[in-house]
Amino acid sequence: MKTVRRYLPILEWGRSYDGQTFSSDLMAAMIVTIMLIPQSLAYALLAGLPAEMGLYASILPLVAYAIFGTSRALAVGPVAVVSLMTAAAVGAIAEAGTMGYATAAITLAFLSGLMLLALGLLRLGFLANFLSHPVIAGFITASGILIATSQLKHILGVPAHGEALPDLLISLLTHIGQTNPYTLAIGLAALAFLFWVRKGLKPLLLRTGLRPRMAELLARAGPVAAVAVSILLTWGMGLEAKGVAIVGAVPQGLPPFSLPSLDPGLLRELLVPALLISIIGFVESVSVARTLAAKRRQRIVPDQELIGLGASNVAAAFSGGYPVTGGFARSVVNFDAGAETPAAGAFTALGILIAALVLTPLLYFLPNAVLAATIIVAVLSLVDLSILKRAWSYSHVDFAAVAATILLTLVFGVEIGVSAGVALSVGLHLYKTSRPHVAEVGLVPGTQHFRNIRRHDVETHPSLLTIRIDESLYFANAAFLQDLVMDRVVCDQPIRHVVLMCSAVNEIDLSALETLEEINHRLGEMDIRLHLSEVKGPVMDRLKRSHFLDQLTGEVFLAQYDAFRRLTGPQGPARIDPVAAGA
């Protein structure tokens, strides 16, 4: 049963489910449903898919996550970045509007779901940690700019194409003369209204005396109001005949049972995009889930989150949907609205199902410009160019990574951008750890503490060199340590002992072990003894299984203070001035 509960979190929170929790979840679901209906339609449009596929992707995936997910507030469904990545991946295989395009999108969800499930079952959630936050922030910012730009064609009512920013801008400028004034008027009015709703409607309602919960509900209904009013205007004024593009007929009924394609060629083409969508979707989802869980002193299980998201994508594939993940905006709304358990997501799915059964005929005259305005308002909140300033002031290396990710995504598209982001994250990790911080340390007078001689007024001894290594030793940085030690001992000072202070070393791999053996051998030839101090237990256990300790010319000290007193001898230490030392 313990194993079953680990893979089915619903058995944990379901045991204590009561009427009060039900009421909170139901209220949250009502608010999220109102928000999710226009978003689902809009994100399907962004992905180049029929509008109803956005609704389908918001039904069974939410139920699957409620069963397998661990976050109490995460709201799963179509999101802007994944929709854009879907359009980029599927658009390279089939033409938008064709059956092959929809089949490829369904297959993409299936592949992504299988990958996420496999990663979760193998407990490989830690791999997401290799994507640095600055790089992810840069990618999401660039994606937000791309998405907003791609929707301008619907605001203007002109044809435009392109996956990268230069192509989109050139295409828009080429067709700017074909702008439809009615479409432009609807699009701009929708944009202005939706921007105002986000900031101004709730305070206005509160001033009229409404309760905060009701004011919140009505404010979240702003996009629905924009949809309803634009439908009435388009129908009443006959704007379709004046060139205003509309959604058209949306099939009414339950999500269809669909099957992904098993064509080897298609699977091969979608393999890399599915992997990238899985990685980005998981990182975005877990980041949101962790943030919200921390506010209530709850916890999530990343490996189980992989299973929950994987099950959601497989459910999307078999119910006519496309790739989904946890959305930031709707999850925050779900949390603020008082969702207590993942059951709120299942109730939201029920609301979307009712909309698919009853409301879809009413969407015929919905202008595409209003859906585009919904997308633009949603994604501009993702754009955070201040990350460039923060990164520059803190770390020029991180700034270069963020700037490169933003630039590559804007110029070459999302697939190259996210691939570059992954490569940059791994590359940054290797670069930073390949040149770890290494300090020559001395004894702080009157204590048993050792600090950097360039930062503190410490005691040293001319025959003793103590080096503190602030990183685990592995193949990428072993040679760096060897060069540093050998450069330091080749001097006129009468160094007779070198102590490697290993308090920050959590692991020594085989390559680093061989390098330590080489250092020990070369120092021995120079009549210098090599010692270790403060070696952690697991590291010492592995060293004992090798021949290194038998060949070590010096000793292994429990504490650096013991090494210092033993090796300085009767002459005693000398005082080092950090200013004179170059601090």
Side-chain angles (χ1 to χ4, degrees), residues 25 31 92 96 107 117 155 242 248 429 440 467 477 536 538 547:
D25 285 346
I31 295 174
T107 306
L117 283 171
I155 300 293
K242 298 177 181 179
H429 172 73
E440 183 176 342
I467 293 178
N477 61 22
K536 293 184 176 180
H547 297 294

Side-chain angles (χ1 to χ4, degrees), residues 203-253:
L204 178 64
L205 293 173
L206 290 174
R207 285 196 295 270
T208 64
L210 279 180
R211 293 180 178 179
R213 181 61 66 91
M214 181 57 66
E216 178 75 19
L217 181 62
L218 292 175
R220 298 298 179 188
V224 176
V227 166
V229 171
S230 64
I231 289 173
L232 289 174
L233 285 175
T234 305
W235 170 72
M237 300 176 65
L239 296 181
E240 181 188 5
K242 298 177 181 179
V244 175
I246 60 174
V247 170
V250 178
Q252 183 178 9

Side-chain angles (χ1 to χ4, degrees), residues 4-310:
V4 171
R5 284 197 298 269
R6 184 166 71 84
Y7 288 111
L8 292 173
I10 188 174
L11 299 179
E12 286 288 340
W13 57 262
R15 289 186 301 175
S16 57
Y17 204 77
D18 55 24
Q20 183 177 353
T21 306
F22 170 78
S23 176
S24 299
D25 285 346
L26 189 61
M27 176 58 71
M30 290 174 58
I31 295 174
V32 175
T33 300
I34 291 171
M35 176 185 183
L36 192 53
I37 290 173
Q39 273 195 358
S40 298
L41 299 170
Y43 290 151
L45 179 73
L46 174 60
L49 296 164
E52 64 270 16
M53 288 187 70
L55 294 176
Y56 299 156
S58 303
I59 300 175
L60 278 187
L62 277 74
V63 177
Y65 185 82
I67 297 172
F68 296 101
T70 61
S71 172
R72 301 294 181 97
L74 191 69
V76 172
V79 300
V81 173
V82 170
S83 297
L84 180 64
M85 295 177 71
T86 299
V90 178
I93 296 172
E95 184 178 350
T98 64
M99 182 61 70
Y101 191 95
T103 301
I106 290 170
T107 306
L108 187 62
F110 180 68
L111 273 178
S112 177
L114 289 183
M115 290 177 178
L116 289 165
L117 283 171
L119 290 171
L121 292 172
L122 294 173
R123 300 189 179 186
L124 297 177
F126 70 90
L127 292 177
N129 296 331
F130 285 98
L131 276 176
S132 69
H133 178 265
V135 167
I136 289 294
F139 171 72
I140 291 178
T141 291
S143 297
I145 295 172
L146 273 181
I147 292 168
T149 306
S150 72
Q151 295 309 295
L152 291 178
K153 63 182 180 182
H154 298 296
I155 300 293
L156 299 172
V158 300
H161 57 83
E163 294 180 4
L165 188 62
D167 297 335
L168 283 169
L169 292 176
I170 291 172
S171 184
L172 285 169
L173 290 173
T174 302
H175 298 93
I176 195 73
Q178 304 172 28
T179 299
N180 184 294
Y182 298 100
T183 301
L184 180 62
I186 290 175
L188 292 179
L191 277 173
F193 175 73
L194 291 174
F195 274 119
W196 174 75
V197 162
R198 289 176 72 91
K199 299 290 185 181
L201 182 56
K202 184 177 178 180
L204 178 64
L205 293 173
L206 290 174
R207 285 196 295 270
T208 64
L210 279 180
R211 293 180 178 179
R213 181 61 66 91
M214 181 57 66
E216 178 75 19
L217 181 62
L218 292 175
R220 298 298 179 188
V224 176
V227 166
V229 171
S230 64
I231 289 173
L232 289 174
L233 285 175
T234 305
W235 170 72
M237 300 176 65
L239 296 181
E240 181 188 5
K242 298 177 181 179
V244 175
I246 60 174
V247 170
V250 178
Q252 183 178 9
L254 296 170
F257 176 74
S258 55
L259 287 172
S261 172
L262 298 179
D263 176 61
L266 178 61
L267 294 176
R268 225 174 7 251
E269 289 186 83
L270 291 177
L271 200 60
V272 173
L275 179 61
L276 296 177
I277 285 174
S278 300
I279 293 172
I280 292 299
F282 173 64
V283 170
E284 181 180 355
S285 179
V286 167
S287 298
V288 176
R290 279 175 170 163
T291 301
L292 297 179
K295 292 183 178 181
R296 290 181 180 170
R297 296 190 178 184
Q298 298 168 348
R299 63 183 295 270
I300 65 164
V301 183
D303 291 329
Q304 185 60 33
E305 283 298 291
L306 283 165
I307 294 175
L309 293 173

